[in-house]
Amino acid sequence: MPLETTAVLDALKVVRDPDLQRDIVSLGFIKDLRVDAGRVAFTIELTTPACPVKDQMRDQARAAVMQVPGVSSVDVTMSARVREATGGDGARQPLPGVKNIIAVGAGKGGVGKTTVAVNLAIALAKAGSKVGMIDGDIYGPNVPIMLGIKTQLITDGQKIIPAEKYGLQVISMGFLTGDDAPIIWRGPMLHSALQQFFREVRWTDLDYLVIDMPPGTGDVALSLSQTVPVAGAIVVTTPQQVSLADSRRAVAMYKKLNIPTLGIVENMAYFVCPHCQHESDIFGHGGGEQMATELGIPFLGRVPIYQPIREGSDNGVPLLVAEPDSLAGRALTGVAEQTAAQLSIASYSRPTIPLTVVR
């Protein structure tokens, strides 16, 4: 009997996306399905290139289709198309060229928020996404230092052209002021600067725009919530109680501003001695994960204290460029994967793309 596409699709229903908890056929992941005698070919289009189980899903799909009577070969192509997790609501219009805006914030300074934001952006870019970054910490614009960028911004006659490094499109107040120049602005000036960063920059085909927020619960977060639709916020904390108390306030602030919290990142979670490999909980243990559980929000990962993180930030070579396979590098990659997963889940409140079948 001739091999039918329906038999192939039925077989593929056993493959499920672990985050969305649905099979890849009903999710609309199967594209360009071709059946030619016993030869089957199709594409699995995921919702993010940063999917940690894409190889597993490909192998499961190939194995499932090979069990269909009459199939002699299976060719599976993996691709990804990042979906928008939010849309405009009338008051806040989407940014042209940007699908998802991610705010990375903290309740207090000194928890490594900018380090997490920079490495998150690089991890998403290394996975194959198009990523931009706004240094929203107007008073302390450190992103250029951490990325090793020294430049003056230019325009194309209409909009500002962002700087580029490590696959990122980057905007920072640090490109507009001297290294030692203090920025002494009131709230309206901050709001105006953010508006320029959003609306007057030539963002090009971004899947994710990561914003490094200033610490605390001040004007920038309020301006952000009023200006653009934010897909979600990540709150960075350390395990000790002083940091956790401030992080709870940050989560409450984002909730009040109608910005969903994508999850908690516990930074400086432990220290592994490079000589004896003993693990020390310098700032306490598990406080960020416990807080996430109590608040009912995702826990995105635990990042250890690691000297090359500091060295790379000072030298303009972030850890995910210098040592992506280190313990801390893998932890930061995991944070990026979990972030992308949370945005994929959020995006499924929006319409899916129908299946295409080529006969």
Coordinates of all heavy atoms in Angstrom, one line a residue, residues 6-64:
T6 N -0.5 11.0 6.3 CA -1.2 10.9 7.6 C -0.5 9.9 8.5 O -0.5 10.1 9.8 CB -2.7 10.5 7.4 OG1 -2.7 9.3 6.6 CG2 -3.4 11.6 6.7
A7 N 0.0 8.8 8.0 CA 0.7 7.8 8.8 C 1.9 8.4 9.4 O 2.3 8.1 10.6 CB 1.0 6.6 7.9
V8 N 2.7 9.2 8.6 CA 3.9 9.8 9.1 C 3.5 10.8 10.3 O 4.2 10.8 11.3 CB 4.6 10.5 8.0 CG1 5.8 11.3 8.5 CG2 5.1 9.5 6.9
L9 N 2.5 11.6 10.0 CA 2.1 12.5 11.1 C 1.6 11.8 12.3 O 1.9 12.3 13.5 CB 1.0 13.5 10.5 CG 1.5 14.4 9.4 CD1 0.3 15.2 8.9 CD2 2.5 15.4 9.9
D10 N 0.9 10.8 12.2 CA 0.4 10.0 13.3 C 1.6 9.5 14.1 O 1.6 9.5 15.4 CB -0.5 8.9 12.9 CG -1.8 9.3 12.5 OD1 -2.2 10.5 12.8 OD2 -2.5 8.6 11.8
A11 N 2.6 9.0 13.4 CA 3.8 8.5 14.1 C 4.6 9.6 14.9 O 5.1 9.4 16.0 CB 4.8 7.8 13.1
L12 N 4.6 10.8 14.3 CA 5.3 11.9 14.9 C 4.6 12.5 16.2 O 5.2 13.2 16.9 CB 5.5 13.0 13.9 CG 6.6 12.8 12.8 CD1 6.5 13.8 11.7 CD2 8.0 12.7 13.4
K13 N 3.4 12.1 16.4 CA 2.7 12.6 17.6 C 3.2 12.1 18.9 O 2.9 12.6 19.9 CB 1.2 12.3 17.5 CG 0.5 13.1 16.4 CD -1.0 12.7 16.3 CE -1.7 13.5 15.2 NZ -3.1 13.1 15.0
V14 N 4.1 11.0 18.8 CA 4.7 10.5 20.0 C 5.8 11.5 20.5 O 6.3 11.3 21.7 CB 5.3 9.1 19.9 CG1 4.2 8.2 19.4 CG2 6.4 9.1 18.9
V15 N 6.3 12.4 19.7 CA 7.4 13.3 20.0 C 6.8 14.5 20.6 O 6.0 15.2 20.0 CB 8.3 13.6 18.8 CG1 9.4 14.5 19.3 CG2 8.8 12.4 18.1
R16 N 7.2 14.8 21.9 CA 6.6 16.0 22.6 C 7.6 17.0 22.9 O 8.8 16.6 23.2 CB 5.9 15.5 23.9 CG 4.7 14.5 23.6 CD 4.1 14.0 24.9 NE 3.6 15.1 25.8 CZ 2.4 15.5 25.7 NH1 1.6 15.1 24.7 NH2 1.9 16.5 26.5
D17 N 7.2 18.2 22.9 CA 8.1 19.3 23.4 C 8.0 19.3 24.9 O 6.9 19.4 25.5 CB 7.6 20.7 22.8 CG 8.5 21.8 23.3 OD1 8.5 22.2 24.5 OD2 9.3 22.3 22.4
P18 N 9.1 19.1 25.6 CA 9.1 19.0 27.1 C 8.6 20.3 27.8 O 8.2 20.2 28.9 CB 10.5 18.6 27.5 CG 11.4 19.2 26.3 CD 10.5 19.0 25.1
D19 N 8.8 21.4 27.2 CA 8.4 22.7 27.8 C 6.9 23.0 27.6 O 6.2 23.4 28.4 CB 9.3 23.8 27.3 CG 10.7 23.7 27.7 OD1 11.0 23.4 28.9 OD2 11.6 23.8 26.8
L20 N 6.5 22.8 26.3 CA 5.1 23.1 25.9 C 4.1 22.0 26.3 O 2.9 22.2 26.2 CB 5.1 23.5 24.5 CG 5.9 24.7 24.1 CD1 6.0 24.8 22.5 CD2 5.4 25.9 24.7
Q21 N 4.7 20.8 26.5 CA 3.9 19.6 27.0 C 2.8 19.3 25.9 O 1.7 18.9 26.3 CB 3.2 19.9 28.3 CG 4.2 20.1 29.5 CD 4.9 18.8 29.7 OE1 4.3 17.7 29.9 NE2 6.2 18.9 29.8
R22 N 3.2 19.4 24.6 CA 2.3 19.0 23.6 C 3.2 18.3 22.5 O 4.4 18.5 22.4 CB 1.6 20.2 23.0 CG 0.5 20.8 23.9 CD 0.0 22.1 23.4 NE -0.4 22.1 22.0 CZ -0.8 23.2 21.3 NH1 -0.6 24.4 21.8 NH2 -1.1 23.1 20.0
D23 N 2.5 17.6 21.6 CA 3.3 16.9 20.6 C 3.6 17.8 19.4 O 3.0 18.9 19.3 CB 2.5 15.7 20.0 CG 1.3 16.1 19.2 OD1 1.4 16.4 18.0 OD2 0.2 16.2 19.8
I24 N 4.7 17.5 18.7 CA 5.2 18.5 17.7 C 4.3 18.6 16.5 O 4.5 19.6 15.7 CB 6.6 18.1 17.3 CG1 6.6 16.7 16.6 CG2 7.6 18.1 18.5 CD1 8.0 16.3 16.1
V25 N 3.4 17.7 16.3 CA 2.4 17.9 15.2 C 1.4 18.9 15.5 O 1.1 19.9 14.8 CB 1.8 16.5 14.8 CG1 0.7 16.7 13.7 CG2 2.8 15.5 14.4
S26 N 0.7 18.8 16.7 CA -0.3 19.7 17.1 C 0.3 21.1 17.3 O -0.4 22.1 17.2 CB -1.0 19.3 18.4 OG -0.2 19.2 19.5
L27 N 1.6 21.2 17.7 CA 2.2 22.5 17.8 C 2.6 23.2 16.5 O 2.9 24.3 16.5 CB 3.5 22.3 18.6 CG 3.4 22.1 20.2 CD1 4.7 21.6 20.8 CD2 2.8 23.3 20.8
G28 N 2.5 22.4 15.4 CA 2.8 23.0 14.1 C 4.2 23.1 13.8 O 4.7 23.8 13.0
F29 N 5.0 22.2 14.5 CA 6.5 22.2 14.3 C 6.9 21.5 13.0 O 8.0 21.7 12.5 CB 7.2 21.5 15.4 CG 7.3 22.2 16.7 CD1 6.6 23.5 16.9 CD2 8.0 21.7 17.8 CE1 6.7 24.2 18.0 CE2 8.1 22.5 19.0 CZ 7.4 23.7 19.1
I30 N 6.0 20.6 12.4 CA 6.4 19.9 11.2 C 6.1 20.7 10.0 O 5.0 21.1 9.7 CB 5.6 18.6 11.2 CG1 5.8 17.8 12.5 CG2 6.1 17.7 10.0 CD1 7.3 17.4 12.8
K31 N 7.2 21.0 9.2 CA 7.1 21.8 8.0 C 7.7 21.0 6.8 O 8.5 20.1 7.0 CB 8.0 23.0 8.2 CG 7.7 23.9 9.4 CD 6.3 24.5 9.4 CE 6.1 25.3 10.6 NZ 4.7 25.9 10.7
D32 N 7.1 21.3 5.7 CA 7.7 20.8 4.4 C 7.8 19.3 4.4 O 8.8 18.7 4.0 CB 9.1 21.4 4.1 CG 9.0 22.9 4.0 OD1 8.0 23.4 3.6 OD2 10.0 23.6 4.4
L33 N 6.7 18.6 4.8 CA 6.7 17.1 4.8 C 6.6 16.6 3.4 O 5.7 16.9 2.6 CB 5.5 16.6 5.7 CG 5.3 15.1 5.7 CD1 6.5 14.4 6.2 CD2 4.0 14.8 6.5
R34 N 7.6 15.7 3.1 CA 7.6 15.1 1.7 C 7.7 13.6 1.9 O 8.4 13.1 2.7 CB 8.8 15.6 0.9 CG 8.9 17.1 0.6 CD 10.2 17.5 -0.1 NE 10.2 18.8 -0.6 CZ 10.5 19.9 0.2 NH1 10.8 19.7 1.5 NH2 10.4 21.1 -0.3
V35 N 6.8 12.9 1.1 CA 6.8 11.5 1.0 C 7.0 11.0 -0.4 O 6.2 11.4 -1.3 CB 5.5 10.9 1.6 CG1 5.5 9.4 1.5 CG2 5.3 11.3 3.1
D36 N 8.1 10.3 -0.7 CA 8.4 9.9 -2.1 C 8.7 8.4 -2.0 O 9.8 8.0 -1.6 CB 9.6 10.7 -2.6 CG 9.9 10.2 -4.1 OD1 9.1 9.5 -4.7 OD2 11.0 10.6 -4.6
A37 N 7.7 7.6 -2.4 CA 7.9 6.1 -2.2 C 8.1 5.8 -0.7 O 7.3 6.2 0.1 CB 9.0 5.6 -3.1
G38 N 9.3 5.2 -0.4 CA 9.5 5.0 1.0 C 10.4 6.0 1.7 O 10.8 5.9 2.9
R39 N 10.7 7.1 1.0 CA 11.6 8.1 1.5 C 10.8 9.3 2.1 O 10.0 9.8 1.4 CB 12.6 8.6 0.4 CG 13.5 7.5 -0.2 CD 14.5 8.1 -1.2 NE 13.7 8.6 -2.4 CZ 13.4 7.8 -3.4 NH1 13.6 6.5 -3.4 NH2 12.7 8.3 -4.4
V40 N 11.1 9.6 3.3 CA 10.4 10.6 4.0 C 11.3 11.8 4.4 O 12.5 11.5 4.9 CB 9.7 10.1 5.3 CG1 9.0 11.2 6.1 CG2 8.7 9.0 4.9
A41 N 10.9 13.0 4.2 CA 11.7 14.1 4.6 C 10.8 15.2 5.2 O 9.7 15.4 4.7 CB 12.5 14.7 3.4
F42 N 11.3 15.9 6.2 CA 10.5 17.0 6.8 C 11.5 17.8 7.7 O 12.6 17.4 8.0 CB 9.4 16.4 7.7 CG 9.8 15.5 8.8 CD1 10.2 15.9 10.0 CD2 9.8 14.1 8.5 CE1 10.5 15.0 11.0 CE2 10.2 13.2 9.5 CZ 10.5 13.6 10.7
T43 N 11.0 19.0 8.0 CA 11.7 19.9 8.9 C 10.9 20.1 10.2 O 9.7 20.1 10.2 CB 11.8 21.3 8.2 OG1 12.6 21.2 7.1 CG2 12.4 22.3 9.2
I44 N 11.7 20.0 11.3 CA 11.1 20.4 12.6 C 11.5 21.8 12.9 O 12.7 22.1 13.1 CB 11.6 19.4 13.7 CG1 11.2 18.0 13.4 CG2 11.0 19.8 15.1 CD1 11.7 16.9 14.4
E45 N 10.6 22.7 13.0 CA 10.8 24.1 13.2 C 10.5 24.4 14.7 O 9.3 24.5 15.1 CB 10.0 25.0 12.3 CG 10.3 26.5 12.5 CD 9.4 27.3 11.6 OE1 8.2 27.5 11.9 OE2 9.9 27.8 10.5
L46 N 11.5 24.6 15.5 CA 11.4 24.8 16.9 C 11.1 26.3 17.1 O 11.2 27.1 16.2 CB 12.6 24.4 17.7 CG 13.0 22.9 17.5 CD1 14.3 22.6 18.3 CD2 11.9 22.0 18.1
T47 N 10.8 26.7 18.4 CA 10.4 28.0 18.7 C 11.7 28.9 19.2 O 11.6 30.1 19.4 CB 9.4 28.1 19.9 OG1 9.9 27.3 21.0 CG2 8.1 27.5 19.4
T48 N 12.8 28.2 19.3 CA 14.0 28.9 19.6 C 15.2 28.1 19.2 O 15.2 26.8 19.3 CB 14.1 29.2 21.1 OG1 15.4 29.9 21.4 CG2 14.0 28.0 22.0
P49 N 16.3 28.7 18.7 CA 17.5 27.9 18.4 C 18.2 27.4 19.7 O 19.1 26.6 19.6 CB 18.4 28.9 17.7 CG 17.5 30.0 17.2 CD 16.4 30.1 18.2
A50 N 17.8 28.0 20.8 CA 18.5 27.7 22.1 C 17.8 26.5 22.8 O 17.9 26.4 24.0 CB 18.5 28.9 23.0
C51 N 17.1 25.7 22.1 CA 16.5 24.5 22.7 C 17.5 23.5 23.0 O 18.3 23.0 22.2 CB 15.5 23.9 21.7 SG 14.7 22.4 22.3
P52 N 17.6 23.1 24.3 CA 18.6 22.1 24.7 C 18.4 20.7 24.3 O 19.3 19.9 24.4 CB 18.6 22.3 26.3 CG 17.2 22.7 26.6 CD 16.8 23.5 25.4
V53 N 17.2 20.4 23.9 CA 16.8 19.0 23.6 C 16.6 18.8 22.1 O 15.9 17.8 21.7 CB 15.6 18.5 24.4 CG1 16.0 18.4 25.9 CG2 14.4 19.3 24.2
K54 N 17.0 19.7 21.2 CA 16.7 19.6 19.8 C 17.3 18.3 19.2 O 16.6 17.7 18.3 CB 17.2 20.8 19.1 CG 18.7 21.2 19.2 CD 18.9 22.5 18.5 CE 20.4 22.9 18.7 NZ 20.6 24.3 18.1
D55 N 18.5 17.9 19.6 CA 19.1 16.7 19.0 C 18.2 15.5 19.4 O 18.0 14.6 18.6 CB 20.5 16.5 19.4 CG 21.4 17.6 18.8 OD1 21.0 18.2 17.8 OD2 22.5 17.8 19.3
Q56 N 17.8 15.5 20.7 CA 17.0 14.4 21.2 C 15.7 14.3 20.4 O 15.2 13.2 20.1 CB 16.7 14.6 22.7 CG 15.8 13.6 23.3 CD 15.5 13.9 24.8 OE1 16.3 14.5 25.4 NE2 14.4 13.4 25.3
M57 N 15.0 15.5 20.2 CA 13.8 15.5 19.4 C 14.0 15.0 18.0 O 13.1 14.3 17.5 CB 13.2 16.9 19.5 CG 12.7 17.3 20.8 SD 12.1 19.0 20.9 CE 10.6 18.9 20.0
R58 N 15.1 15.4 17.4 CA 15.4 15.0 16.0 C 15.5 13.4 16.0 O 14.9 12.8 15.1 CB 16.6 15.6 15.5 CG 17.1 15.2 14.1 CD 18.6 15.5 13.9 NE 19.4 14.8 14.9 CZ 20.6 15.2 15.3 NH1 21.0 16.4 14.9 NH2 21.2 14.5 16.2
D59 N 16.2 12.9 16.9 CA 16.4 11.4 16.9 C 15.1 10.7 17.2 O 14.9 9.6 16.7 CB 17.5 11.1 18.0 CG 18.9 11.6 17.6 OD1 19.1 12.0 16.5 OD2 19.7 11.7 18.5
Q60 N 14.3 11.2 18.2 CA 13.0 10.6 18.5 C 12.1 10.6 17.2 O 11.4 9.6 16.9 CB 12.4 11.3 19.6 CG 13.0 11.1 21.0 CD 12.3 11.9 22.1 OE1 11.5 12.8 21.8 NE2 12.6 11.5 23.3
A61 N 12.1 11.7 16.5 CA 11.3 11.8 15.3 C 11.7 10.9 14.2 O 10.9 10.2 13.6 CB 11.3 13.3 14.8
R62 N 13.0 10.8 14.0 CA 13.5 9.8 13.0 C 13.2 8.4 13.4 O 12.7 7.6 12.5 CB 15.0 10.0 12.9 CG 15.6 9.0 11.8 CD 17.1 9.2 11.7 NE 17.5 10.4 11.1 CZ 18.2 11.4 11.8 NH1 18.6 11.2 13.0 NH2 18.6 12.5 11.2
A63 N 13.4 8.0 14.6 CA 13.1 6.7 15.1 C 11.6 6.3 15.0 O 11.2 5.2 14.6 CB 13.5 6.5 16.5
A64 N 10.7 7.3 15.3 CA 9.3 7.1 15.2 C 8.8 6.9 13.8 O 8.0 5.9 13.5 CB 8.5 8.3 15.8

